[in-house]
Amino acid sequence: MWAYESVFYQIYPMGFCGAPWENDGKTVNRIGKVGDWAAHIASIGCNAMYFSPVFESDSHGYDTRDFRKIDCRLGTNADFAEVCDKLHKEGVRVVLDGVFNHVGRGFWAFKDVQEKKWDSPYKDWFHISFDGNSNYNDGFWYEGWEGHYELVKLNLRNEAVIQHIFDCIRGWVEEFDIDGLRLDVAYSLDRDFIRRLRSFCDSLKPDFFLVGEVMSSDCSPFLADGMLHSCTNYDCYKGLYSSFNSMNMFEIGHSLQRQFGPEPWTLYKGKHLLSFVDNHDVTRVASILTNEKHLPLIYAMMVGMPGIPCIYYGSEWGEKAQKQQGSDANLRPCFEQPQTNALTEWIAKLAKAKKSSKALCYGGYTIRLMTNKQIIFERAFEDERVMVAINADDQPFHAHFNAEAGRARDLITGEVHDFGGGSELPPYYAAFWQVF
């Protein structure tokens, strides 16, 4: 699977492109801006793009009106096809947000139910009771997603709904040549639907990638045979930043041990979760870290640990933003141009190292040394061994451990490292030591 050897880049298109918050019905080619960023995305080592919602919606994208049409605020289907072509020419795969659990109140089939009530052929596409009423006085009750009644839950046990979704996905492959889907709120989706979706997508493209948004402490049911290839690693998202903020590497170290360690009971041995330090729903990492000198280190940890790294647009140069009550708009801004600085260059080196190493893509996880402020763990696959070394302290650290090797080359800098007499870790240091 190509995704296991990739570094992802995520954008939230409505914010990224500066689209109006509410759908104003005006067609403007804003999505072309993504094509203008294609070279930048490739230059920082990202070879896969995850688009948050792009289809016609009421406002923020997760309230879909029509799965068959690019949102007019972003442009036309032809405009988006051109963007996908530019990304593919830069060697960047395309993964779209599959928002299949719910739709917006402006969804065409729901509008038909509002108009025709019992007589609508689409009434069974949703979870509806004509014995009640909605908050919007529709004359019938319907199930919303987690109490959000602007998001109308689809009936994924209805064959017509399933076939409509599958027809749309087939259209996305034919029109945009997409390479995968990120399933919004995958934890809420009907499990049988996920199995059928996997089988259908496999028939479209044998290497079609499916990753699910899962926030529970155990993603295993979603990673079973015939289900998803990957899930979001929210467990380690929290562990990453709090380990640096509390100067307690045992937190992230033990989380990774529980997930990927060599013991037979570990959760995800041989699996590939989507790793991230921030995204469109959470405070940016540059704002949540209490020590800015930890910023390069947390990226090194995220890229070096088991999983598929994902970079959120703007964070590659250290953009800041706090999550606010009631609105995520500040987390999803519009930048006129991409920026580059030392952090951007560092992330590009990390991405290059990741993609060049089978051990960093497929290796297990074995702790070699762990203290409050330092961690060294090994990723081994076939005949390759790479040790990820982090010193979060402002003081140098002399690491004594059995590396079972004499020397190594740092995949980030190319420098040779000698294990003889112990390993010196400078302050605020990260390395990927490939032993030889």
Side-chain angles (χ1 to χ4, degrees):
M1 171 54 68
W2 57 267
Y4 302 157
E5 301 179 11
S6 296
V7 177
F8 275 67
Y9 192 82
Q10 181 199 355
I11 67 164
Y12 182 83
M14 297 296 184
F16 178 90
C17 297
W21 183 249
E22 298 292 335
N23 194 326
D24 58 6
K26 298 176 182 177
T27 301
V28 179
N29 181 4
R30 295 182 172 96
I31 198 68
K33 176 180 176 180
V34 181
D36 297 338
W37 280 48
H40 166 76
I41 293 162
S43 74
I44 61 172
C46 294
N47 56 346
M49 167 69 91
Y50 153 40
F51 283 90
S52 292
V54 295
F55 295 106
E56 188 78 13
S57 74
D58 294 336
S59 60
H60 47 67
Y62 291 99
D63 45 3
T64 313
R65 289 180 179 176
D66 194 335
F67 292 121
R68 299 162 296 191
K69 180 178 181 293
I70 294 297
D71 195 289
C72 63
R73 291 167 289 171
L74 298 176
T76 65
N77 285 25
D79 295 331
F80 187 62
E82 186 176 339
V83 167
C84 292
D85 186 56
K86 286 184 178 180
L87 289 168
H88 283 134
K89 285 178 178 176
E90 289 284 353
V92 179
R93 306 255 190 170
V94 174
V95 172
L96 300 188
D97 223 327
V99 188
F100 303 139
N101 179 72
H102 49 259
V103 293
R105 285 175 52 80
F107 186 67
W108 59 272
F110 188 72
K111 297 287 281 185
D112 192 81
V113 178
Q114 288 175 312
E115 178 186 347
K116 300 174 184 174
K117 306 296 192 291
W118 270 104
D119 295 326
S120 172
Y122 305 109
K123 62 182 181 295
D124 294 328
W125 281 39
F126 313 97
H127 301 273
I128 283 176
S129 169
F130 289 99
D131 294 330
N133 201 358
S134 73
N135 296 354
Y136 296 90
N137 197 31
D138 291 301
F140 56 86
W141 175 92
Y142 62 87
E143 185 177 349
W145 173 68
E146 296 186 357
H148 296 277
Y149 290 99
E150 73 278 13
L151 302 175
V152 187
K153 190 169 175 63
L154 283 169
N155 179 8
L156 294 177
R157 289 276 176 173
N158 183 299
E159 190 63 25
V161 173
I162 295 170
Q163 291 307 318
H164 176 68
I165 290 172
F166 287 2
D167 286 346
C168 291
I169 296 171
R170 182 185 293 108
W172 302 343
V173 170
E174 292 172 354
E175 196 167 2
F176 311 125
D177 194 23
I178 68 167
D179 303 288
L181 291 171
R182 176 263 194 190
L183 302 184
D184 183 55
V185 297
Y187 57 86
S188 294
L189 294 175
D190 181 88
R191 305 289 176 87
D192 288 339
F193 170 77
I194 293 177
R195 289 187 187 90
R196 290 189 61 182
L197 177 67
R198 170 66 183 271
S199 177
F200 173 75
C201 291
D202 284 350
S203 73
L204 293 176
K205 283 186 174 184
D207 60 350
F208 196 91
F209 177 60
L210 292 176
V211 53
E213 180 189 24
V214 178
M215 298 180 181
S216 67
S217 59
D218 186 3
C219 301
S220 300
F222 299 93
L223 298 171
D225 290 346
M227 296 287 278
L228 305 178
H229 299 97
S230 180
C231 293
T232 50
N233 194 344
Y234 267 93
D235 259 11
C236 283
Y237 156 69
K238 187 266 180 183
L240 280 164
Y241 71 78
S242 64
S243 292
F244 284 98
N245 284 351
S246 62
M247 293 295 272
N248 179 20
M249 290 296 134
F250 288 93
E251 180 178 357
I252 187 62
H254 287 314
S255 291
L256 290 169
Q257 183 81 5
R258 172 177 172 268
Q259 292 185 343
F260 302 105
E263 293 81 8
W265 47 263
T266 53
L267 293 173
Y268 311 128
K269 195 182 283 87
K271 303 294 186 181
H272 303 262
L273 273 62
L274 190 75
S275 310
F276 57 96
V277 294
D278 53 17
N279 61 29
H280 65 296
D281 285 327
V282 300
T283 294
R284 286 193 184 258
V285 66
S287 293
I288 210 165
L289 286 178
T290 54
N291 183 346
E292 64 180 10
K293 293 184 179 178
H294 286 156
L295 197 50
L297 306 186
I298 197 171
Y299 276 105
M301 179 80 82
M302 188 262 287
V303 174
M305 72 190 216
I308 306 166
C310 187
I311 312 297
Y312 186 50
Y313 80 103
S315 287
E316 71 266 30
W317 61 78
E319 190 69 31
K320 294 184 177 182
Q322 291 277 355
K323 185 176 178 67
Q324 297 176 349
Q325 190 70 27
S327 174
D328 291 326
N330 66 317
L331 302 176
R332 308 167 179 183
C334 175
F335 303 117
E336 290 305 315
Q337 299 288 338
Q339 300 177 35
T340 57
N341 56 18
L343 180 62
T344 321
E345 294 168 4
W346 172 253
I347 289 172
K349 290 178 182 177
L350 296 175
K352 183 178 179 181
K354 172 82 172 184
K355 294 183 296 181
S356 72
S357 167
K358 294 291 187 184
L360 288 178
C361 293
Y362 296 100
Y365 173 87
T366 304
I367 286 287
R368 287 289 183 172
L369 179 147
M370 190 159 53
T371 73
N372 284 341
K373 300 177 182 180
Q374 293 83 26
I375 185 170
I376 300 174
F377 56 86
E378 180 177 306
R379 309 284 314 282
F381 181 75
E382 295 178 343
D383 59 351
E384 183 190 6
R385 294 166 56 216
V386 175
M387 295 188 197
V388 176
I390 306 282
N391 179 16
D393 199 4
D394 60 0
Q395 301 296 316
F397 178 77
H398 199 71
H400 285 283
F401 68 101
N402 183 9
E404 300 178 43
R407 295 195 303 165
R409 178 172 289 103
D410 184 359
L411 292 175
I412 305 171
T413 65
E415 296 176 359
V416 173
H417 178 80
D418 195 326
F419 291 110
S423 296
E424 187 77 14
L425 278 62
Y428 301 124
Y429 176 77
F432 294 167
W433 293 326
Q434 182 187 53
V435 303
F436 58 86

